[in-house]
Amino acid sequence: MVATVLIREKNGAGETATDKTSSTIRFKNADDATVDLVNPMVVPGAGTDFSFIKYVRVKLDVAPSQKIENVVAYTDGAKAWSAGVSLSWKTTTTYATPAAETSIASYTSAFTYTSGSPLTLGAGPYSATGDVGNYLMMTLTVDSTCVPGVLASETFTVGYDEI
């Protein structure tokens, strides 16, 4: 059987999961998965506005006949946003209640990860249903040089090998 793989955003102290497969993740100043214009990121007069951390994890909803492995995440490498806006990624093995990030020193720009050089979320193999691999932690930053307004959409891809 072909695996059914979901991409889920995790929120709250209870790690509430929301399916974001082929859907939108909205960066904001709140810990929720709702795609709306409430709690927006703002262009600060000075310094940087950090979004709440977005934790994303892959879930095997229907197990594969054999296994999946080499779970990765990547972008097209081309940031469509103005200067002053950054999307940063890193992985972690543990979940914590999301809060506004305070530094991106331990993160890497999401746009450095491409199909040719993706971010590894887990080597596997994975054959049972449930969450697999590491969490993808994402944060958006807006600094005082950013042009105000709603940003264009960006796409990231989660890939894996299925055997």
Side-chain angles (χ1 to χ4, degrees):
M1 176 175 281
V2 175
T4 300
V5 177
L6 303 178
I7 301 167
R8 302 189 317 157
E9 180 181 334
K10 305 284 189 104
N11 300 95
E15 198 172 346
T16 301
T18 303
D19 183 12
K20 293 294 184 164
T21 310
S22 301
S23 189
T24 300
I25 295 173
R26 172 95 167 135
F27 290 91
K28 56 170 82 176
N29 286 313
D31 174 28
D32 66 54
T34 307
V35 178
D36 60 21
L37 298 177
V38 178
N39 302 303
M41 304 286 302
V42 296
V43 178
T48 303
D49 186 18
F50 293 86
S51 74
F52 273 60
I53 297 166
K54 294 293 186 176
Y55 285 87
V56 174
R57 197 152 186 210
V58 173
K59 178 186 180 191
L60 270 176
D61 202 43
V62 174
S65 296
Q66 298 286 322
K67 63 184 176 179
I68 69 166
E69 55 191 15
N70 303 320
V71 180
V72 297
Y74 58 90
T75 69
D76 64 4
K79 182 179 94 165
W81 303 326
S82 68
V85 180
S86 299
L87 176 61
S88 302
W89 287 0
K90 70 178 180 180
T91 61
T92 184
T93 58
T94 57
Y95 175 85
T97 303
E101 190 56 273
T102 57
S103 170
I104 57 170
S106 63
Y107 289 78
T108 300
S109 170
F111 299 100
T112 64
Y113 298 111
T114 62
S115 59
S117 183
L119 177 62
T120 299
L121 300 179
Y126 307 108
S127 57
T129 58
D131 289 339
V132 300
N134 292 324
Y135 293 90
L136 172 59
M137 291 176 65
M138 303 186 291
T139 189
L140 187 81
T141 57
V142 176
D143 72 27
S144 60
T145 65
C146 178
V147 177
V150 177
L151 297 175
S153 295
E154 285 283 1
T155 299
F156 80 93
T157 301
V158 172
Y160 54 89
D161 297 326
E162 182 170 359
I163 299 169

